[in-house]
Amino acid sequence: MFVPSHYREPDGSWMIDLIRANPMAIMAINGSSADGPFATHLPVIPDPAATGRRSADLSGATLLGHMNRANPQWAALESGGVALLIFTGPHGYVSPTVYEMAPAAPTWNFTSVHVHGMVEKIDSTEETLGVVKSTVTALETDFGTDWDMSGSVDYFRKIVPAVGAFRFTVSGAEGMFKLSQEQPAEVRDRVQTSFSCREQGRYRETAELMGQLPG
């Protein structure tokens, strides 16, 4: 991903926060010359068992994900193969009316993290079940109501044979946080104010991120 210098994240923690807050990723791989690229929307979480300090580009971090084994991308995945995970965060259209100047051009403020790494397919039923349970725990904690899965683990065991789980070791990541940094401070303030007044949550979330930018 091409990231102009002024749109790079102020700190590596911004990428981690975006991944945690937006775990519905797109996994893309090249595929064969006959089939072309594959892409799948799927939940991806940081591996709760991973320890140690993360580098600024997230290299060495471990993520967990899963997809339906009937998905052709699962058959195309190979352990040791490289893949790209794309996480999209808050975003919103910026109308030139907010700039209060002319000439001007519309644009789109957006946030995204592209994560490169190596895939390790998980064959063990118990490990696959572990990925499913870890994913449920992470998503219930952050977005659910702390649902107790204990009564459904036997059901999980029944569906796990159809689940393809994988471990993803990060080789590097780039974060794009395009939040009007190229504009004068007064224009940035107007964009942020405009976004904070919108009904759609993604605009208000973008405004919150704009407010966290270094002065």
Side-chain angles (χ1 to χ4, degrees), residues 111-190:
T111 57
S112 181
V113 173
H114 286 201
V115 183
H116 305 266
M118 185 180 69
V119 176
E120 176 193 350
K121 296 173 78 170
I122 295 173
D123 294 322
S124 162
T125 299
E126 287 304 311
E127 281 191 87
T128 300
L129 179 62
V131 170
V132 172
K133 292 166 67 176
S134 292
T135 302
V136 171
T137 297
L139 300 186
E140 274 295 321
T141 299
D142 291 339
F143 310 106
T145 54
D146 283 332
W147 171 65
D148 182 359
M149 75 178 89
S150 58
S152 296
V153 172
D154 286 342
Y155 172 67
F156 288 179
R157 288 187 183 279
K158 291 179 181 179
I159 63 175
V160 151
V163 175
F166 62 87
R167 187 173 290 104
F168 188 94
T169 302
V170 179
S171 58
E174 307 96 27
M176 177 84 156
F177 291 82
K178 183 179 180 294
L179 300 170
S180 299
Q181 295 97 318
E182 79 285 3
Q183 296 293 342
E186 61 271 17
V187 174
R188 273 200 315 275
D189 289 343
R190 286 197 290 272

